[in-house]
Amino acid sequence: MKGITSFIKARKIMVAFLVLMAISLLVVGCGQQQQGENEGTAPEGGEKVVKVGVIGPFTGPASRVGEEFKGAIQMAFDQIGNKVGDYKVEFVWVDDESDAEKGARAYEQAIVKDKITVGFMDWHSWVSVSCMDVAAKYKMPHFFSFGATEVVNQKYEQDPEKYKYWVGKAWPTPSLLSIAYVDTVTEAVEKGLWTPKNKNVAVYGVDNDWGRSFGEAVAKQFTDAGWNVVTKEWVGLGETEFYPLLTKLKKSDVSLAVGSMSDPPSVSAFIKQTREVGLKSLIISDGLGWVGEWYGLTGDASDYVLDQIPQWTTDKAKKFRDDFKAKYGFEPGASSGGLCYDWANYFIKVMQTTLDTYGDLTTESFAKCAEEQVMTGKLTYTDGIIMKEYKYTPETFPDPVVDQEHYIFPVIQYFDGQGKIIWPDAWKEGDLAIPDNLK
């Protein structure tokens, strides 16, 4: 009897031991799975996964741009089967809703909860400014944001070590591009193509980091060129009622109105209402053609308007445009969908280089590639459909290199929904045309 009792006790001890071992293995397994997820590795079946967090306005007033971003990125990654080496690529679409605070919260959630490996893309300047701090907090390398404001540059220059994780702007600081408008107008006046009634200019724009950055830059440039900036007017994102503002500009007797808005409803309403109130000014609307179907929103009210925007100039670019439209049912803009497609392919090159050079695709290896390859100018992209070469140098970072051999936007003038290049001379398709009511 005593032997049986001892046997039962031993049996119980053995069962307890096995239960503890099972629990221990389960805990270790769960811990390994969490670590694997953070590193971009899914243990089931041994397939490795790299999670890419893409920031964009997927809802809200600029959701049309978000649609183009998503489509362009998917087309780029479809070409490589959504795989880089032995890593499957998964996207986490981070909706900023065109709001800086919401964007930062969504981005932090993508890092903490969704366990993204690396970040990519963004459209709005004000969202970039807020998300820079999130990337710095978690040391999350985030590649190629369209946020162009000089505030991004200022933050980086104040603390390069902290903000090096915001890896390069996909759109240069406004002043690097906007000087082309001044050159275009100055050349037209010097050639006798336009004799303005005065040199009064009005600056307008959306009241955020992008609009003010562009507006202040172009105001200084026109002032330096001898123009008189009589007013600066800022409007809210999504605003569509401009009659009081345009009436004020009409009374100010300005020869030129120059500005930028970042959402299609606002800019299209502004352009149409300039004609309705009879504003007798040459209009510069930077970004009017950012989305592919802009002409359907403005109609012939856009005739004679100036913009600075890339065009579908090559067969390769036109093929992407047509393929995009066939797949998604709407035409992309060259400076939104087209540029995004190029940056997505540059990012694919970054991913492949990271894997080849550092042996894996982890947050840490992406950060090394950013600092050692991209920021130094060693890793560039020359197979794009919009620009000749996408490149950074230590001297230009966080901006890309801007010149006619790298990143440049031509100045165009719209007629019947088509843009005609009027600057620079090397690309010119015609001279600046002046509407009859301004002659």
Side-chain angles (χ1 to χ4, degrees):
M1 190 73 178
K2 186 177 179 180
I4 295 174
T5 302
S6 299
F7 175 79
I8 292 173
K9 286 182 178 179
R11 181 77 176 268
K12 287 181 178 180
I13 291 171
M14 179 62 72
V15 170
F17 175 77
L18 291 173
V19 170
L20 288 172
M21 285 292 293
I23 292 173
S24 176
L25 289 172
L26 180 61
V27 170
V28 171
C30 288
Q32 288 176 340
Q33 181 173 353
Q34 181 64 43
Q35 182 180 5
E37 287 173 357
N38 287 339
E39 294 178 354
T41 303
E44 302 84 17
E47 185 175 42
K48 297 179 181 179
V49 175
V50 55
K51 287 189 177 183
V52 180
V54 181
I55 303 176
F58 301 116
T59 64
S63 60
R64 179 66 167 69
V65 173
E67 291 182 61
E68 293 196 25
F69 273 13
K70 187 174 287 190
I73 292 168
Q74 289 176 329
M75 285 181 66
F77 278 83
D78 282 348
Q79 294 179 115
I80 60 169
N82 285 300
K83 292 197 72 174
V84 176
D86 56 351
Y87 284 81
K88 177 184 177 183
V89 181
E90 290 185 0
F91 294 105
V92 176
W93 304 103
V94 183
D95 185 10
D96 61 42
E97 303 179 55
S98 296
D99 183 278
E101 185 177 344
K102 291 178 180 178
R105 285 202 305 266
Y107 189 40
E108 187 163 25
Q109 177 174 303
I111 295 172
V112 175
K113 182 179 178 181
D114 298 317
K115 305 295 182 184
I116 64 171
T117 315
V118 63
F120 175 60
M121 197 50 59
D122 173 39
W123 176 247
H124 294 302
S125 284
W126 56 98
V127 174
S128 289
V129 171
S130 65
C131 286
M132 284 179 75
D133 287 296
V134 179
K137 177 181 178 180
Y138 293 98
K139 297 184 178 180
M140 175 60 63
H142 189 99
F143 289 84
F144 311 146
S145 163
F146 275 53
T149 176
E150 75 274 4
V151 179
V152 171
N153 299 59
Q154 292 165 1
K155 293 184 77 165
Y156 173 76
E157 290 162 5
Q158 288 169 3
D159 196 340
E161 184 62 25
K162 177 180 179 180
Y163 291 112
K164 67 183 180 181
Y165 297 96
W166 202 252
V167 190
K169 294 161 65 179
W171 196 294
T173 298
S175 60
L176 295 176
L177 295 173
S178 60
I179 189 63
Y181 289 121
V182 182
D183 292 342
T184 300
V185 171
T186 299
E187 289 176 10
V189 172
E190 290 175 348
K191 291 179 179 180
L193 300 173
W194 183 33
T195 305
K197 57 187 175 183
N198 55 47
K199 283 203 165 185
N200 292 339
V201 57
V203 173
Y204 67 90
V206 63
D207 189 9
N208 53 37
D209 288 330
W210 163 256
R212 286 184 176 271
S213 292
F214 177 85
E216 295 295 349
V218 79
K220 182 180 185 305
Q221 290 164 347
F222 271 101
T223 298
D224 292 346
W227 288 72
N228 177 36
V229 178
V230 298
T231 186
K232 298 176 185 176
E233 304 290 340
W234 313 111
V235 302
L237 183 70
E239 177 63 62
T240 57
E241 175 62 62
F242 298 109
Y243 295 106
L245 167 60
L246 292 169
T247 299
K248 177 180 178 180
L249 298 189
K250 186 177 180 180
K251 291 180 179 178
S252 299
D253 194 32
V254 294
S255 294
L256 183 64
V258 53
S260 181
M261 298 178 186
S262 55
D263 59 292
S266 292
V267 67
S268 58
F270 182 86
I271 294 301
K272 288 190 290 187
Q273 289 168 31
T274 61
R275 304 308 187 211
E276 292 175 24
V277 302
L279 181 65
K280 294 184 178 181
S281 305
L282 191 64
I283 306 295
I284 293 174
S285 179
D286 190 79
L288 170 58
W290 280 344
V291 298
E293 296 172 340
W294 63 271
Y295 188 63
L297 298 173
T298 62
D300 60 9
S302 60
D303 286 353
Y304 294 96
V305 172
L306 274 65
D307 195 357
Q308 191 178 14
I309 200 166
Q311 300 290 286
W312 306 111
T313 54
T314 66
D315 291 340
K316 190 175 180 180
K318 292 172 183 176
K319 183 180 186 305
F320 165 78
R321 177 198 62 194
D322 296 342
D323 289 347
F324 186 104
K325 187 174 182 179
K327 185 170 185 176
Y328 297 108
F330 62 92
E331 184 173 315
S335 59
S336 45
L339 271 178
C340 181
Y341 179 73
D342 274 359
W343 286 108
N345 280 296
Y346 188 0
F347 182 54
I348 289 171
K349 187 175 182 180
V350 168
M351 298 178 80
Q352 188 64 59
T353 301
T354 300
L355 181 59
D356 293 343
T357 306
Y358 305 101
D360 56 23
L361 294 181
T362 64
T363 301
E364 292 74 19
S365 59
F366 276 117
K368 287 181 182 178
C369 186
E371 190 167 8
E372 297 174 5
Q373 305 286 334
V374 177
M375 295 166 65
T376 60
K378 292 180 181 179
L379 182 61
T380 72
Y381 184 65
T382 58
D383 197 29
I385 62 172
I386 302 298
M387 304 296 176
K388 288 186 177 181
E389 182 176 21
Y390 298 88
K391 178 180 181 177
Y392 301 92
T393 69
E395 293 74 29
T396 67
F397 193 86
D399 282 310
V401 176
V402 176
D403 59 40
Q404 291 187 36
E405 296 304 313
H406 294 87
Y407 194 117
I408 193 72
F409 287 176
V411 176
I412 64 174
Q413 189 169 30
Y414 291 120
F415 297 96
D416 300 321
Q418 301 296 318
K420 180 175 67 175
I421 297 175
I422 59 174
W423 182 94
D425 284 339
W427 301 351
K428 184 181 288 188
E429 299 172 322
D431 290 319
L432 175 68
I434 305 301
D436 291 338
N437 66 340
L438 301 186
K439 294 179 179 178

